[in-house]
Amino acid sequence: MKFFCVFIWGCILIMGCNPVDRANRIANKNKVNVIYPSGPFDSLQAKSALAIGKSIIQGVAFTKPKTNLGYKAPLAKRIYGANIRVVLYPVTPYFEEWYNLRNKKEGKKTRVYLSDAAARYGLATNTDEYGRFTFKQMKPGKYFIQAILDWHHTTSANVYQGSGYDGYGRTDYYTRQYYNVEHSDRLEKFITIENEGETVKVSLK
């Protein structure tokens, strides 16, 4: 009986140490759930919303760094999104469902995406070196604008290098090391063009 128990535990340990099983466990643990809106996407409605008009959207993309980043030197009040991609979507019922679903369900292990068909109806442009962007020939309607701004700030820490004895006793030695902390800010805003021919100015932050 004792030998049988040892044999069973040995099998369990062998199975637990199997590289394939271990990789499968890690993959399942890190698995990201992807969900989409359940409603139908109306391509004709989206196409109509993006028909050529006489209005203009002018904007600037930037972020405001938080002050509690562990960096004593002052950060810029604004970091502008130079040469980044800005995407505009017409706000249709399908898009509204996606946005509401994202706000409710999105998390570390859950992503909410537009369908490929809906994503194709986004207009894209790039900002200039000052974070400015423009969408021309727009018609009155409601739109959603989004951009991802990657940036970093530099901070430092004392890193232990070892210890030794000086004339006063044992001393620990540290060196100051500097490193970058990466950030990725999602800039988003809903905007509405009320009248044909107007220019709407947007702060995308």
Side-chain angles (χ1 to χ4, degrees), residues 1-203:
M1 183 67 179
K2 182 177 180 181
F3 173 79
F4 179 75
C5 292
V6 172
F7 174 77
I8 294 298
W9 277 108
C11 291
I12 293 174
L13 288 173
I14 292 174
M15 293 176 64
C17 294
N18 185 283
V20 175
D21 294 334
R22 182 163 57 249
N24 288 337
R25 286 196 300 270
I26 295 173
N28 290 330
K29 182 178 179 181
N30 296 329
K31 183 178 179 180
V32 175
N33 183 35
V34 176
I35 56 179
Y36 297 88
S38 59
F41 171 68
D42 189 336
S43 60
L44 293 178
Q45 187 179 40
K47 184 177 181 180
S48 175
L50 295 176
I52 293 177
K54 298 180 180 179
S55 298
I56 298 174
I57 298 172
Q58 292 181 344
V60 59
F62 63 90
T63 189
K64 292 183 177 182
K66 297 179 180 178
T67 58
N68 57 343
L69 294 177
Y71 183 51
K72 295 181 180 180
L75 291 168
K77 293 183 178 180
R78 292 183 178 182
I79 296 176
Y80 290 91
N83 304 311
I84 64 173
R85 187 169 182 261
V86 181
V87 183
L88 175 147
Y89 294 99
V91 179
T92 63
Y94 178 89
F95 184 89
E96 289 180 326
E97 182 187 353
W98 166 80
Y99 185 80
N100 292 331
L101 189 63
R102 194 192 69 174
N103 287 344
K104 292 178 181 178
K105 299 291 186 178
E106 189 178 58
K108 290 183 178 180
K109 294 188 176 182
T110 302
R111 299 289 183 269
V112 183
Y113 292 142
L114 292 168
S115 68
D116 291 341
R120 282 197 291 269
Y121 281 86
L123 301 179
T125 188
N126 290 328
T127 62
D128 65 10
E129 60 183 310
Y130 304 104
R132 299 177 300 180
F133 62 91
T134 302
F135 289 98
K136 298 179 179 180
Q137 296 183 318
M138 305 301 300
K139 62 180 290 187
K142 187 176 182 180
Y143 303 96
F144 178 81
I145 303 176
Q146 182 187 75
I148 303 299
L149 174 53
D150 296 322
W151 61 282
H152 69 268
H153 80 280
T154 302
T155 189
S156 62
N158 289 324
V159 179
Y160 177 72
Q161 297 296 313
S163 60
Y165 290 91
D166 56 18
Y168 301 96
R170 185 180 179 88
T171 300
D172 293 331
Y173 296 100
Y174 296 84
T175 59
R176 196 71 173 173
Q177 293 188 3
Y178 294 84
Y179 58 95
N180 291 332
V181 179
E182 304 297 329
H183 304 270
S184 184
D185 291 353
R186 188 163 62 188
L187 315 179
E188 299 178 332
K189 194 161 191 175
F190 286 96
I191 65 106
T192 300
I193 299 176
E194 299 287 354
N195 304 305
E196 185 72 271
E198 71 174 313
T199 297
V200 178
K201 295 184 178 181
V202 182
S203 293

